[in-house]
Amino acid sequence: MFYSLTGEIVYKDASSVAISCGGVAFRCSVTLTTLNELSDKKGAVTLFTYLSVRDDALELFGFYDESELDCFKMLISVSGVGPKAALAILSQLTPDRLALAVSAGDVKAITKAQGVGPKIAQRVVLELKDKMKTGPSSGTGENFAQSQMLLESNTAEAVEALVMLGYSQSEASAAVAKLDHSLSVEKLITQALKIL
């Protein structure tokens, strides 16, 4: 029903913003990523929106870019994941990070989201693995295809070592993916630690 809202921010709290459009202020629940993007914006802003219709309420959700909105729609298509859980996941992980976590089967990274337990996280990985093969891109420069580098032995060893040091599979994969894969395992670990 609503594709986007453009207007001035008239209210903001820890989980929502209200945007004035033609004299009417629409309150949207947003992710932390969207809140951070809006924090230094002056004048008119645009949020891409999703309207959730329930028996007892109409809720509007706002997103800074379309890739975050697309990710939100994918998440709520997973059985057991409602809009609040989807917002929590996207507040913890950007769309690129989520795609990487799903690709790597990194349930631990998804459970870091508030209110998301291991069962829901496993369901997200299971149900979105095929849908996120091409991976959304939020323009952060991370290429989803880089997660495929796990097939190479030295990078796989480096990722495994970083996971043993306490980093999640997706964090470790993202850091190692940014490096030159021809480096030795030791150098990959050292340089990845600097990134992390």
Side-chain angles (χ1 to χ4, degrees):
M1 183 175 182
F2 296 105
Y3 176 72
S4 67
L5 295 174
T6 301
E8 304 250 340
I9 297 173
V10 293
Y11 173 81
K12 192 187 315 184
D13 64 21
S15 61
S16 66
V17 295
I19 296 184
S20 178
C21 303
V24 178
F26 294 91
R27 187 173 181 183
C28 302
S29 295
V30 295
T31 64
L32 291 178
T33 308
T34 295
L35 271 179
N36 291 337
E37 290 286 348
L38 296 175
S39 64
D40 56 351
K41 297 287 181 195
K42 303 285 186 226
V45 297
T46 298
L47 285 183
F48 297 94
T49 57
Y50 178 85
L51 179 64
S52 172
V53 180
R54 297 193 331 245
D55 289 343
D56 59 344
L58 294 174
E59 281 186 281
L60 199 55
F61 297 89
F63 304 93
Y64 187 71
D65 63 26
E66 288 183 273
S67 67
E68 198 177 35
L69 172 60
D70 293 340
C71 234
F72 176 81
K73 288 178 183 176
M74 275 194 243
L75 283 166
I76 60 173
S77 74
V78 174
S79 57
V81 177
K84 295 266 184 342
L87 272 189
I89 291 169
L90 288 172
S91 288
Q92 185 66 39
L93 301 165
T94 64
D96 282 335
R97 291 267 183 198
L98 177 62
L100 198 54
V102 168
S103 168
D106 190 358
V107 173
K108 184 180 168 188
I110 298 169
T111 58
K112 286 182 181 177
Q114 185 178 356
V116 178
K119 284 186 180 177
I120 296 269
Q122 286 169 348
R123 208 173 293 145
V124 167
V125 168
L126 183 69
E127 292 187 30
L128 295 186
K129 205 160 198 142
D130 292 334
K131 290 182 183 177
M132 295 187 113
K133 273 207 162 99
T134 56
S137 176
S138 64
T140 59
E142 292 179 7
N143 186 348
F144 180 79
Q146 289 174 335
S147 64
Q148 301 308 312
M149 60 83 191
L150 292 172
L151 300 172
E152 299 174 33
S153 62
N154 63 338
T155 54
E157 280 183 52
V159 169
E160 196 173 312
L162 291 167
V163 169
M164 291 179 80
L165 290 173
Y167 295 99
S168 74
Q169 181 83 25
S170 58
E171 287 172 331
S173 298
V176 173
K178 294 175 183 174
L179 304 173
D180 179 2
H181 296 176
S182 64
L183 294 172
S184 68
V185 176
E186 294 78 19
K187 286 186 179 177
L188 283 170
I189 294 168
T190 306
Q191 291 188 18
L193 283 170
K194 289 177 185 172
I195 293 171
L196 293 165

